[in-house]
Amino acid sequence: MSKKGFRTSIGGQALLEGVMMRGPKKYAAVVRTPEGLISKEEPAPYPKEKNRILGWVFIRGVCNFVQSMAIGMKTLFWSADQVAASDGECPAESDTTDQSEARSREKAQPSGIGKGLFAVTMVIALVLVVGLFTVLPTFIGGLLSPWIGEQSFARNAAETGMRLVILLTYMILVSLTKDIQRTFAYHGAEHKAIAAYEAGDELTVENVRLRSRFHPRCGTSFLLTVVLVSMIAFLLISLPLQRLEFGSKMGNIFIRTGLRLSLLPFVVAISYEINRLVGRTDSILSKIVRSPGIAMQRITTREPTDDMIEVAVDALQRVIPEEEGTDKWGTE
């Protein structure tokens, strides 16, 4: 079948020395170690397969997001285990592993990270995210409120601008480390593999290498959409509250932070539907909406080596459905 114009719902994530790909029925994670490729596959049907209500508009966005986050964190920790088991050595770029050998090495090594430590790590990460991207901008916005107003559009715009600056600064700083640079290169390999698959190319290292490392339906675009939608949503809810007695408390950092967090499920749901709609076409409007995400990928992706592309291709091939077209964009 010609895949001209084909858009797949298969998505991925860069891991430590590897790539995770998630298809309509399962996900596969592949990591390169000095001994070769190690892979892990598990069933992961979309939430709507368990209950069709979870596939309804606005509900599916939150459910799919939570599931994707859980799979992403699970495979990220799993890849860290594999790297740790190999004494943290990064495989040489010249290392190669035959595909048949890679598949014969499918195994799940014992996790070095217990459930308790995993839970603690998740809580710490959540606190840092909330503090850095929610509390800090709100606190700074409060300091500026004497000049820009307590509940003004200017304050909301200023807080959103600070969130974007914090996000970009964080991405730029972490991209300076060698390990993150390699992870970003695996991110580029993931994009290239999916682009080659959508173009109908044979999934070889040579074909995949020619594709762009920038992909229009990357999760980076979704992240930026969430930031912008959150600004609009908070502004819309804060304006009517100004008319109530509660409106006088809107300048309180804890109240503003609490409101933003309570709106997060709605923001994620709306952002998901926007990205789902925009991903269907290459119209001028769609390209405009996607352009900030593409620009940010200049930071979050790097050109991969052939070894990294091999890993991405292996992971992708494991999740391509047997029934052609069942992974079409918009079917998730």
Side-chain angles (χ1 to χ4, degrees):
M1 180 184 74
S2 172
K3 282 187 167 59
K4 184 178 180 181
F6 176 74
R7 294 174 173 82
T8 182
S9 62
I10 294 175
Q13 174 183 309
L15 305 175
L16 296 178
E17 295 301 325
V19 172
M20 181 275 290
M21 292 283 189
R22 192 269 177 87
K25 299 297 183 182
K26 64 180 180 178
Y27 74 81
V30 179
V31 170
R32 181 179 292 281
T33 70
E35 293 77 30
L37 299 188
I38 299 175
S39 63
K40 174 181 181 178
E41 297 181 27
E42 286 190 4
Y46 292 117
K48 70 176 183 179
E49 301 297 329
K50 299 179 180 180
N51 190 321
R52 63 180 182 180
I53 293 178
L54 302 182
W56 290 1
V57 176
F58 297 123
I59 295 178
R60 63 191 176 193
V62 177
C63 295
N64 289 345
F65 176 75
V66 171
Q67 185 188 49
S68 296
M69 288 292 292
I71 293 173
M73 291 302 297
K74 182 178 181 180
T75 52
L76 185 60
F77 275 85
W78 174 81
S79 69
D81 285 344
Q82 311 315 309
V83 173
S86 60
D87 298 324
E89 298 177 14
C90 289
E93 294 184 3
S94 59
D95 289 348
T96 57
T97 302
D98 185 81
Q99 287 286 344
S100 60
E101 178 186 349
R103 295 183 184 280
S104 68
R105 286 182 53 79
E106 292 181 26
K107 59 181 179 178
Q109 296 186 1
S111 175
I113 300 177
K115 292 182 178 180
L117 180 57
F118 180 84
V120 171
T121 304
M122 288 293 292
V123 170
I124 293 175
L126 181 61
V127 171
L128 289 175
V129 168
V130 172
L132 192 60
F133 295 102
T134 303
V135 178
L136 181 58
T138 303
F139 174 73
I140 297 175
L143 297 179
L144 297 175
S145 61
W147 295 277
I148 61 178
E150 286 286 357
Q151 299 96 28
S152 65
F153 173 80
R155 175 167 178 177
N156 284 288
E159 290 180 7
T160 300
M162 282 182 279
R163 287 184 178 86
L164 291 174
V165 170
I166 291 172
L167 178 62
L168 289 173
T169 302
Y170 172 79
M171 289 295 186
I172 292 172
L173 290 178
V174 299
S175 70
L176 299 178
T177 64
K178 182 180 178 181
D179 288 342
I180 297 300
Q181 287 175 2
R182 289 185 62 83
T183 302
F184 284 174
Y186 275 107
H187 189 192
E190 173 228 323
H191 284 181
K192 283 174 174 280
I194 291 177
Y197 169 63
E198 291 183 320
D201 296 341
E202 181 182 358
L203 292 177
T204 64
V205 172
E206 292 73 20
N207 288 339
V208 173
R209 187 194 306 126
L210 299 176
R211 293 293 164 180
S212 172
R213 77 176 200 262
F214 308 122
H215 198 281
R217 291 179 299 286
C218 173
T220 304
S221 300
F222 177 76
L223 181 61
L224 292 178
T225 302
V226 167
V227 173
L228 296 177
V229 170
S230 67
M231 181 190 77
I232 297 173
F234 189 73
L235 179 64
L236 292 177
I237 196 173
S238 63
L239 287 177
L241 288 177
Q242 292 179 41
R243 301 177 181 274
L244 305 175
E245 182 180 352
F246 182 78
S248 61
K249 302 178 182 179
M250 285 292 291
N252 185 288
I253 183 174
F254 298 107
I255 292 177
R256 291 179 71 87
T257 300
L259 281 173
R260 286 190 179 279
L261 293 178
S262 66
L263 285 174
L264 188 56
F266 303 99
V267 170
V268 169
I270 295 171
S271 301
Y272 177 85
E273 297 302 329
I274 291 174
N275 272 23
R276 200 170 190 264
L277 183 62
V278 167
R280 290 180 180 273
T281 69
D282 287 322
S283 65
I284 295 178
L285 179 59
S286 295
K287 290 180 178 179
I288 291 174
V289 174
R290 294 196 298 248
S291 59
I294 296 293
M296 194 167 178
Q297 288 177 44
R298 296 187 178 277
I299 301 174
T300 61
T301 65
R302 289 178 179 268
E303 286 296 332
T305 63
D306 286 356
D307 289 345
M308 294 174 177
I309 292 175
E310 181 186 19
V311 170
V313 168
D314 189 14
L316 175 59
Q317 289 176 326
R318 294 170 183 271
V319 301
I320 295 175
E322 295 181 2
E323 187 177 349
E324 205 170 64
T326 55
D327 60 319
K328 185 178 180 181
W329 177 263
T331 58
E332 69 279 7

